Amino acid sequence: MNKGGSMSTHTSPRRLAALVGLGLAMASGAGAESRAVAVRCGRLIDGKTDEVLKDAVVLVAGERIQAVGAGLAVPADATVIDLGRSTCLPGLIDNHTHLLLQGDITAADYDEQLLKESIPFRAIRATVAARTALQNGFTTLRDLETEGAMYADVDVKTAISRGIVPGPRLFVATRALAPTGTYPLLGYSWELRMPEGVQIVDGADNLRRAVREQVKYGADWIKYYSDRRYYLKDGVLRSWVNFTDEEAKALVDEAHRLGRRVAAHAIGRDGIASALRAGADTIEHGDGLDDETIDLMVRRGVYWCPTIYVGAYVAEGRAAAGAPIWKTMVDLERQAFGKALRKGVRISFGTDAGGYAWTEGQAREFSYMVRYGMSPMQAIRSATSVAAALLDQQDNLGALEAGRLADLIAVAGDPLTDITELERVRFVMKGGAVVKRE
Ligand SMILES: [Zn+2]
């Protein structure tokens, strides 16, 4: 790739913006030719503190932020990007997505994608989803399993990091793990050999081997399904636990031994408790959280991705398909959210995008978080500094701060008075390169 050989120091800002939009920007450390970029922000929310800076400047050198401050001096030769009438924020992070999935309200929707779409076709669609996410201001995703598309998430990640297609930074989980008989496709004749939405594994030793295999092929995270078959008993959301304690502990232990952390899909109380006994690092969905499991999460520093919007989005369809429990789960999650917030659980933004169509927009999650009790600033932090800490990327991502990667978005209004502003992102910079400017 052209690392800027054709770009003189006299390149106009417009031309520079066009070049970076094409992914032709100079990489960091490209030397004297790399001009500083100064982003002027009318208001600036840094993703870490409660303070809102007025008339701030973000100085960017290469792919990183050099300085942030109000009234900062702009170097004479810097390229200026004027967002003086906008609010700047760090690039958003969504810690629960499925790029290889394009909406699955019902089991039939899900099965159709696995039965009628090849993995190459699904990977092509994933690149479109990735572009959509980036255009909507999401500069980083933790993509939590490919739903039957094998290791295609690693390929999408490679294509993005090499600049072949535009997209967010990806942390990928590859195939996810579940035992025999617990995960779609299910319900077909025993004479048919059907595709699986996960890697089916039974037994502690086999789970260790599966984790090693996933890491070998590029898994940044290990994802597993802790439970299924959710039901209400005495006001508590219960569930059937998938793995024995011995199996789940072997899975988590092997992942940790290999320097990977573990995301557990856990919706009912039983599945959440099992995942916490096993040592999982993040709880996904978690509708059935109660005082005991919440206290344990706070003590152990376990993160929670509540994925509220998708629950509300699929509830009607799944209830109509004969599973009314999904409507009850929406109410239960709202109660759990309030409790977890009061007790100080680390709540990370996570949407399950892909579980609903990518065109819906991941940022709708924010208004649910605020409606359920977060301040707009807390909701913003859940998708910036808190989400970056979940990823162990607190030195690189999640804040507009000197030294971190220059992932920056802007909206026209004030998201602290109207959180839905985040659904209308006007400007996106990823690693110092402008990828959207309206
Ligand atoms: Zn999911």
Side-chain angles (χ1 to χ4, degrees):
M1 189 171 83
N2 186 329
K3 282 273 170 64
S6 65
M7 291 170 63
S8 76
T9 50
H10 303 291
T11 308
S12 72
R14 181 182 285 261
R15 167 122 177 96
L16 179 69
L19 285 169
V20 294
L22 290 169
L24 296 174
M26 293 167 287
S28 77
E33 282 191 299
S34 179
R35 287 171 60 178
V37 174
V39 185
R40 291 190 184 277
C41 304
R43 291 170 301 274
L44 183 142
I45 293 169
D46 70 6
K48 269 179 91 175
T49 65
D50 276 332
E51 202 184 351
V52 181
L53 291 182
K54 296 247 163 64
D55 298 318
V57 173
V58 181
L59 277 181
V60 177
E63 63 177 4
R64 289 196 184 256
I65 297 170
Q66 207 169 35
V68 180
L72 212 63
V74 174
D77 66 338
T79 302
V80 176
I81 297 172
D82 189 3
L83 304 174
R85 291 191 303 182
S86 305
T87 305
C88 297
L89 307 101
L92 302 172
I93 301 171
D94 187 341
N95 272 325
H96 188 134
T97 67
H98 301 281
L99 284 170
L100 274 297
L101 205 57
Q102 311 299 328
D104 67 321
I105 293 175
T106 66
D109 295 337
Y110 184 85
D111 291 13
E112 184 152 322
Q113 286 181 61
L114 270 71
L115 290 170
K116 295 185 178 173
E117 298 184 1
S118 70
I119 292 174
F121 182 75
R122 294 180 63 192
I124 291 166
R125 295 187 77 180
T127 65
V128 177
R131 182 188 316 184
T132 301
L134 183 62
Q135 289 288 309
N136 287 338
F138 289 85
T139 49
T140 301
L141 308 179
R142 184 179 62 152
D143 201 63
L144 283 186
E145 90 125 326
T146 60
E147 308 285 359
M150 297 297 287
Y151 297 98
D153 53 352
V154 178
D155 297 308
V156 174
K157 175 185 169 178
T158 304
I160 291 169
S161 61
R162 288 193 197 164
I164 296 166
V165 294
R169 306 171 192 286
L170 297 185
F171 294 84
V172 299
T174 71
R175 304 179 64 193
L177 298 156
T180 298
T182 63
Y183 201 83
L185 305 185
L186 295 169
Y188 292 87
S189 159
W190 58 264
E191 292 165 294
L192 298 172
R193 197 170 154 70
M194 305 306 291
E196 312 276 7
V198 290
Q199 184 169 6
I200 298 292
V201 186
D202 300 290
D205 281 351
N206 290 333
L207 279 158
R208 285 188 188 274
R209 184 163 69 184
V211 168
R212 289 173 191 175
E213 186 176 290
Q214 295 191 357
V215 170
K216 171 187 171 185
Y217 290 123
D220 301 307
W221 277 76
I222 299 301
K223 158 91 178 275
Y224 81 99
Y225 285 84
S226 180
D227 65 353
R228 69 190 191 285
R229 292 184 71 156
Y230 321 109
Y231 63 98
L232 206 58
K233 194 176 178 193
D234 305 326
V236 178
L237 186 66
R238 306 287 304 273
S239 57
W240 286 30
V241 175
N242 287 341
F243 287 115
T244 65
D245 275 7
E246 188 200 2
E247 289 174 317
K249 281 176 180 162
L251 179 165
V252 173
D253 179 64
E254 194 60 30
H256 287 172
R257 247 171 40 81
L258 299 177
R260 300 301 189 277
R261 279 172 304 147
V262 177
H265 163 111
I267 288 184
R269 199 210 116 82
D270 307 75
I272 296 165
S274 167
L276 293 174
R277 284 196 302 275
D281 301 282
T282 72
I283 296 293
E284 307 305 311
H285 316 302
D287 308 50
L289 277 168
D290 61 3
D291 286 307
E292 204 183 323
T293 45
I294 285 172
D295 290 342
L296 200 52
M297 286 177 75
V298 172
R299 274 208 303 282
R300 297 226 195 116
V302 175
Y303 288 82
W304 179 30
C305 288
T307 69
I308 305 165
Y309 173 66
V310 71
Y313 181 82
V314 301
E316 291 294 333
R318 289 187 181 172
I325 187 77
W326 287 89
K327 280 174 108 168
T328 311
M329 279 157 52
V330 174
D331 300 327
L332 291 171
E333 178 150 65
R334 178 198 283 261
Q335 293 165 26
F337 192 92
K339 230 180 241 183
L341 190 59
R342 280 195 301 279
K343 291 191 172 215
V345 173
R346 299 176 190 186
I347 301 176
S348 169
F349 190 91
T351 63
D352 223 353
Y356 57 92
W358 282 90
T359 46
E360 288 284 318
Q362 293 151 272
R364 290 192 185 193
E365 184 81 10
F366 285 111
S367 56
Y368 281 86
M369 295 175 109
V370 170
R371 208 178 310 158
Y372 284 14
M374 274 187 168
S375 69
M377 199 59 113
Q378 281 178 312
I380 288 167
R381 276 202 289 269
S382 82
T384 52
S385 54
V386 174
L390 179 152
L391 292 168
D392 200 20
Q393 292 291 319
Q394 52 280 345
D395 295 334
N396 293 317
L397 306 172
L400 297 179
E401 183 180 70
R404 299 206 196 198
L405 288 162
D407 291 359
L408 181 155
I409 64 165
V411 296
D414 181 3
L416 299 181
T417 53
D418 178 8
I419 196 71
T420 70
E421 280 294 333
L422 296 175
E423 296 172 27
R424 296 175 293 279
V425 169
R426 307 290 186 90
F427 175 90
V428 181
M429 171 185 274
K430 180 191 157 198
V434 178
V435 292
K436 179 182 188 174
R437 188 170 191 179
E438 280 181 357

